[in-house]
Amino acid sequence: MSTLIRGGTVITASGETVIDGGAVVIRDGRIADVLRRWDAGQAFDGDVIDAAGCVVMPGLINIHTHGVTPGPLFPSAAAALPAERWMANLDRHLLAGTTTVLSLCGFASMDDVREADKRHAVHVRGATTHLPHCLQAAELADGKGLTAEVGDLTVEGMLDDGAIAIGELGGGQTLGGGGQDLVYIPAAIQKSSGIRVNIDQARRIKEAVLGRFIDIRAFDPAALAEAAKDAGLADAFTATQLAKLVRDTVMPSFVPAIEGIREGVRAASKFGVPAIVHSASATASVLRELMPELEGTGATLIAAHANHPSHTPAEAHELAVLGNKMGWPAEASVFDLLHRRRTVKTREHWDLLLKEPGLISVIGTDYGHDGDHDELISAVQDIAARGHRSLAGAVAMATSAVADLVPGIAPGSGRLEAGRAGDVVVASAEDFRDVRVVLADGVCVVRDGQLTPEAHR
Ligand SMILES: [Zn+2]
């Protein structure tokens, strides 16, 4: 089967190559040719896609996803999503031009990952956190998704079975972060009072009890009283009760989760695979401790969502600069900070880190609110539109740079070059979220912005 995409602005993700009015020929699942032009009258034996007014780029590679496979959800090993939910999450990625995802939930088996990969056109890759302290942290934070088999898996076994990275080491759920604010603290408050608080109220209460760095010495009773009153909890709890509830929800998993990060980066260094570490205010000090320890070992240690809003923008910047100096590539997550703005309501960290050349290597989405993150492709457009990178540079951050950083995530993909995999996206040049066509391995899986029957198998 052959496809010709002609007339669009072709961004190859190899260096700075942008070809206006170029053409891409895909044959037998692979890119056969990238051409400067294709005359309208020239015949083609196959499917012809007119990409006038569109950008044409490699299928995006998302280095930071959750909820895209069966098996335990998140680093807290929460209950597995039903198949229709993880399939719908993959649909969302595909409809936005992402053809490869790395699942960073960490406790799924490679059978779980392969099932998702097999049933959906998106290429699904797996990572592992099957380490004693990571498991303990998950059990203490949630653990409802754990099955007997999970305990038998090891990082070494998972890597032998095809996992390509270690991660996500730590997470908001196990480290008193956004996952606690969104899910576990509101649930604990509701369970004992019947009152539902929202994510912002939960965060404010938590920070009054534990500060931004998750430290019991940071307790501020006056701030807690204010936060409790504003959340309508003044009659339901005494300050002592509410502080205890927050500590009991957040703290048990915190110490093992930090130890799990140490365990994980050492395993990455030992096995020579990349590790992806949750970077946030709660992990800033362990990252500072590990950076010199791992220096010169050649390990690829990736700071996930270096733009995490638990940092102040200045803290995020300082940690990213240090990481950069110590050889830790940084990923910036778009979360939902561009459009939806339910979990991250500021773009300050995003802009501050991205405007500095070379500070951020790659971009991902993370999970957003219940999987409703902003589109990776709109992050690409935003980075170019704001002038943080050239268009080619912005595309590379979600394609070739990811493929180069994590060997195995998309071997043979990530660039529009002859011989590479036929993973190609055509999107409106005005608004990249308006994705018209997606090819995965040369098969049309999105057409006119809709999934084709080939998207699911
Ligand atoms: Zn994270």
Side-chain angles (χ1 to χ4, degrees), residues 277-298:
V277 188
H278 179 86
S279 166
S281 55
T283 59
S285 75
V286 73
L287 294 187
R288 285 172 190 280
E289 165 205 310
L290 289 167
M291 281 172 185
E293 183 191 315
L294 277 294
E295 203 187 4
T297 60

Side-chain angles (χ1 to χ4, degrees), residues 4-87:
L4 166 68
I5 300 170
R6 65 165 160 81
T9 298
V10 177
I11 305 137
T12 65
S14 301
E16 286 292 318
T17 310
V18 176
I19 310 167
D20 279 318
V24 182
V25 180
I26 301 107
R27 285 191 212 283
D28 302 324
R30 305 214 147 255
I31 295 174
D33 235 331
V34 179
L35 303 164
R36 297 253 138 226
R37 58 176 290 131
W38 185 280
D39 291 326
Q42 209 175 332
F44 182 78
D45 181 21
D47 193 10
V48 178
I49 292 163
D50 179 8
C54 291
V55 287
V56 181
M57 61 180 89
L60 302 188
I61 305 167
N62 192 335
I63 190 175
H64 194 150
T65 71
H66 296 282
V68 291
T69 70
L73 181 69
F74 303 135
S76 56
L81 293 177
E84 60 270 21
R85 283 288 313 279
W86 59 257
M87 286 286 280

Side-chain angles (χ1 to χ4, degrees), residues 64 66 75 168-172 277-279 304-305 308 335 366:
H64 194 150
H66 296 282
E168 181 177 4
L169 292 167
V277 188
H278 179 86
S279 166
H305 43 60
H308 199 276
F335 303 111
D366 205 342

Side-chain angles (χ1 to χ4, degrees), residues 426-446:
V426 179
S428 162
E430 291 265 295
D431 183 350
F432 289 10
R433 285 179 292 170
D434 179 6
V435 169
R436 309 278 172 80
V437 172
V438 180
L439 305 186
D441 286 327
V443 177
C444 187
V445 288
V446 173

